[in-house]
Amino acid sequence: MIDHINALNLCWYISPPWGSCIPRLEVNLLERVYICTTKTFGYCCGVKWKQDRWIYAVACAGDIIHTTEHEIIGTGEMQLAAIEKPAFVLGDRVMLRSDFGRTKQRLILGIQLLNRSWFYYVEWMPPVLEEVTTLDDRLAFVAQKDLARVLF
């Protein structure tokens, strides 16, 4: 007999919030960007899906500024750094290595570089019908070593 609750959870975790086609990113990770609101330059160090659009994390003068695509302009100049590329890309299907006994498959909904290491946003719980939660409330910030690629 099929376990309908686990099947529903699996479908939830692997259904992208952006629909069938992933929206294009305005800038690339590690691209130098101009932040219009602060009139400064920085480097895109992350991006995550929030409120039906991409939110960009920009490293600027020791701070991280979160902004939308309307507030930044990409320069096309990439930061030359001895940092290896992220192991996963947005929309990749992954498994949490430590999520024993539950649905393990998730989608990468965001990527961020922090202290020269890549971290990923994955949804760690489905929405609860009794209470209103946002996607941001359900995202976990997970280290690359805690994820494994799902091959299908």
Side-chain angles (χ1 to χ4, degrees):
M1 185 169 165
I2 296 175
D3 182 350
H4 294 292
I5 292 179
N6 282 335
L8 181 61
N9 276 339
L10 175 62
C11 290
W12 177 265
Y13 288 126
I14 61 174
S15 298
W18 47 73
S20 61
C21 186
I22 189 168
R24 183 179 79 78
L25 292 174
E26 192 65 31
V27 298
N28 293 308
L29 287 172
L30 303 179
E31 182 177 350
R32 187 169 191 238
V33 298
Y34 177 73
I35 307 166
C36 302
T37 53
T38 60
K39 297 183 171 123
T40 56
F41 285 92
Y43 284 92
C44 179
C45 62
V47 61
K48 76 174 177 177
W49 188 257
K50 182 177 180 180
Q51 298 174 342
D52 295 331
R53 63 180 172 190
W54 294 117
I55 300 296
Y56 299 86
V58 179
C60 180
D63 288 329
I64 295 180
I65 299 169
H66 292 90
T67 183
T68 67
E69 72 275 8
H70 303 295
E71 299 165 331
I72 58 174
I73 300 170
T75 65
E77 178 185 330
M78 300 301 289
Q79 180 181 21
L80 297 176
I83 300 169
E84 60 183 73
K85 290 183 177 183
F88 308 104
V89 297
L90 297 169
D92 271 358
R93 194 182 295 189
V94 295
M95 290 179 70
L96 293 168
R97 294 182 192 267
S98 63
D99 200 8
F100 300 109
R102 291 207 226 152
T103 304
K104 296 181 183 181
Q105 291 189 33
R106 306 286 193 275
L107 292 179
I108 298 291
L109 301 179
I111 302 172
Q112 183 147 354
L113 181 64
L114 185 64
N115 295 331
R116 303 184 64 80
S117 297
W118 291 108
F119 289 82
Y120 303 88
Y121 290 97
V122 295
E123 196 168 7
W124 69 278
M125 62 179 265
V128 179
L129 297 178
E130 295 86 31
E131 57 188 68
V132 177
T133 60
T134 65
L135 178 60
D136 221 28
D137 296 333
R138 298 187 316 268
L139 289 181
F141 198 52
V142 181
Q144 184 168 298
K145 66 181 176 67
D146 295 324
L147 297 172
R149 184 176 318 280
V150 173
L151 302 174
F152 54 99

